[in-house]
Amino acid sequence: MNTTTTANFDETLQEALRVSQTNDGPAAIALFQQALAINPQSATTYSLLAAEYITLGYVAESEAAYANALMLAPEFHLARFQMGLLQFTSARVAIALLTWQPLLALSDDHALKLFVMGFAHMAQDDFEVALGYFERGIQSNIDIPPLNTDIQRVIREIKSLQEKLALDATNSTEPTPTITPAEEENKHESEVETSAHFLLNNYQQQGPLH
């Protein structure tokens, strides 16, 4: 981009961010799209657009924007994590784990890897193991504080669910009904969807805009 084009892009992007802070989603989306019309190679702008879409409940549009960000910048780890979280909270756990797979190549103490491991174990109802990964991830994550806040919500939700399951087990006097494997699988998928649905949030992008 030449100097004038770069200035126009930066100005439009900064205005989009300012409008986003006022919670005017449609206006912010329009401005992010304008910025991308000027510079369609900006992976960060696609990621910001994706986050704005999800605040309005536009799941398909958000996922497409994250996909564009990752096509431009495959090593954009935060965008990959967010895209997987979007899929996870849409009850597409297998797809989310596939999206997250490259994050497993990160170092063992990398926060995003630890969070992914937590969600993977959460999906298998390995709640104690999941809690361990989430807590280690929070300790490792110093770059994205809002992410820690949301993972702490996940931890509270898991503990609440554990308490409920323990109480149900204590109070249950009815015999367990016989269900088919297909019914058991559908029941598990429903539980994953219910427990995961609250997780998605609009994480603020950190670092330089590019």
Side-chain angles (χ1 to χ4, degrees):
M1 293 189 296
N2 59 40
T3 302
T4 301
T5 302
T6 300
N8 289 339
F9 170 73
D10 290 342
E11 181 180 337
T12 303
L13 186 55
Q14 291 303 319
E15 178 64 11
L17 291 169
R18 186 192 68 77
V19 172
S20 176
Q21 292 298 314
T22 69
N23 297 319
D24 187 348
I29 286 171
L31 286 164
F32 284 129
Q33 290 172 333
Q34 288 179 31
L36 285 167
I38 299 170
N39 179 16
Q41 301 302 309
S42 174
T44 296
T45 304
Y46 270 115
S47 186
L48 290 167
L49 175 62
E52 203 66 46
Y53 271 133
I54 202 59
T55 64
L56 299 179
Y58 298 153
V59 174
E61 291 84 352
S62 179
E63 188 169 354
Y66 279 132
N68 284 330
L70 291 174
M71 281 192 291
L72 291 168
E75 300 302 313
F76 193 168
H77 299 318
L78 182 57
R80 183 174 297 281
F81 178 78
Q82 290 173 311
M83 182 174 175
L85 185 57
L86 172 62
Q87 294 163 338
F88 189 93
T89 56
S90 300
R92 290 175 290 154
V93 175
I95 295 175
L97 294 176
L98 185 62
T99 296
W100 281 333
Q101 188 170 7
L103 298 180
L104 298 179
L106 298 173
S107 63
D108 290 341
D109 61 350
H110 195 291
L112 293 182
K113 178 177 181 178
L114 292 168
F115 291 148
V116 166
M117 293 298 295
F119 283 115
H121 284 280
M122 178 180 173
Q124 297 298 319
D125 294 339
D126 295 332
F127 295 127
E128 287 300 328
V129 177
L131 286 172
Y133 278 114
F134 286 141
E135 289 167 353
R136 286 172 56 196
I138 287 174
Q139 293 174 358
S140 297
N141 178 33
I142 60 175
D143 297 323
I144 317 169
L147 184 54
N148 281 349
T149 299
D150 288 320
I151 296 299
Q152 287 167 346
R153 291 174 55 217
V154 176
I155 290 173
R156 289 196 298 270
E157 193 72 12
I158 289 177
K159 290 181 177 179
S160 176
L161 179 61
Q162 286 179 311
E163 291 173 1
K164 180 179 182 301
L165 291 174
L167 183 62
D168 288 346
T170 300
N171 294 338
S172 177
T173 58
E174 297 294 327
T176 302
T178 301
I179 60 176
T180 67
E183 289 172 334
E184 178 64 30
E185 178 65 21
N186 289 337
K187 177 175 177 290
H188 176 71
E189 290 180 358
S190 176
E191 290 172 346
V192 168
E193 180 177 6
T194 299
S195 62
H197 182 72
F198 77 99
L199 301 177
L200 189 61
N201 205 338
N202 178 17
Y203 302 131
Q204 296 298 317
Q205 301 297 319
Q206 304 292 313
L209 300 175
H210 57 276

